[in-house]
Amino acid sequence: MPALIQEQLYNIDDIYNLKDGERAELIDGQIYYMSPPNTNHQRILNFINTEINIYIRQNNGSCEVFPAPFSVFLFADDSKYLEPDISVICDKNKLDSRGCNGAPDWIIEIISPATKKMDYYTKLALYQNAGVREYWIVDPYKHTTIVYDMEHDESPAVYPFADNIPVGIYQGFSINLSSLEI
């Protein structure tokens, strides 16, 4: 009888024991290593992060914005450790020294060729199941943003960068990416 090959399962300790500078996410015992972001990715991240922070500050909002790397433990069992590009958390009780424990209110992922499948499928399902209220997938290659308003169970909407993209968790707030040179 041939020996069975056992798949190695990883846990949160393996994430914490990564070499300095190495980043990865943990989903159901599997580690998904992350490559360094490119310049356009960082331009988009910085722009959106700044727009959200300005809006919250000008409106005396109570939510906080955290750009990657920032730890998000979607479920209490630590089986899903993610580092979304941008996390907006409105419930301060979810925050501790490790990061966010539970679903952020709004998550934004900026895709790259290496993360496309994860962002469009795997993470979408995880975020829906965890209770994320709003999820954006920003695609710098197609110059589009897909918005999932999961709080209201609406069909996803696709916005070109030239359009004002309405933010579901904040009435009257939208983001326009047309000024970005990418």
Side-chain angles (χ1 to χ4, degrees):
M1 177 182 248
L4 293 175
I5 298 174
Q6 290 188 343
E7 185 177 317
Q8 181 170 354
L9 295 178
Y10 298 92
N11 61 43
I12 196 63
D13 292 332
D14 296 306
I15 292 290
Y16 284 125
N17 289 323
L18 292 173
K19 295 178 205 166
D20 282 346
E22 198 169 39
R23 290 180 50 214
E25 295 177 312
L26 176 69
I27 301 173
D28 296 329
Q30 295 302 304
I31 288 183
Y32 297 89
Y33 291 93
M34 301 164 68
S35 58
N38 66 31
T39 302
N40 282 337
H41 180 281
Q42 292 304 94
R43 278 187 183 117
I44 294 168
L45 183 143
N46 186 48
F47 182 85
I48 295 172
N49 185 64
T50 300
E51 292 293 300
I52 298 168
N53 271 306
I54 289 171
Y55 179 83
I56 291 171
R57 192 173 313 117
Q58 288 177 343
N59 291 279
N60 298 315
S62 61
C63 301
E64 288 189 70
V65 185
F66 296 92
F70 180 72
S71 303
V72 172
F73 301 87
L74 281 180
F75 301 100
D77 63 3
D78 289 350
S79 66
K80 292 162 184 78
Y81 166 87
L82 300 168
E83 291 185 7
D85 289 316
I86 298 174
S87 301
V88 178
I89 297 119
C90 300
D91 181 353
K92 305 283 190 218
N93 293 321
K94 291 183 179 181
L95 296 170
D96 66 16
S97 62
R98 293 188 333 157
C100 179
N101 298 288
D105 294 87
W106 179 17
I107 289 179
I108 300 168
E109 295 283 9
I110 304 159
I111 70 158
S112 68
T115 66
K116 192 173 189 173
K117 184 177 176 184
M118 285 286 288
D119 294 336
Y120 276 106
Y121 301 105
T122 306
K123 289 184 179 181
L124 171 61
L126 288 173
Y127 296 153
Q128 283 175 321
N129 291 334
V132 171
R133 295 167 55 197
E134 185 167 353
Y135 177 43
W136 286 20
I137 300 174
V138 180
D139 188 331
Y141 304 96
K142 294 182 181 177
H143 288 234
T144 58
T145 299
I146 299 177
V147 175
Y148 294 88
D149 181 353
M150 296 185 272
E151 181 175 38
H152 300 104
D153 201 26
E154 293 186 13
S155 297
V158 180
Y159 296 91
F161 280 12
D163 287 2
N164 289 329
I165 306 166
V167 177
I169 69 167
Y170 293 118
Q171 292 297 323
F173 176 41
S174 64
I175 296 176
N176 186 301
L177 301 173
S178 64
S179 66
L180 288 171
E181 294 183 23
I182 55 171

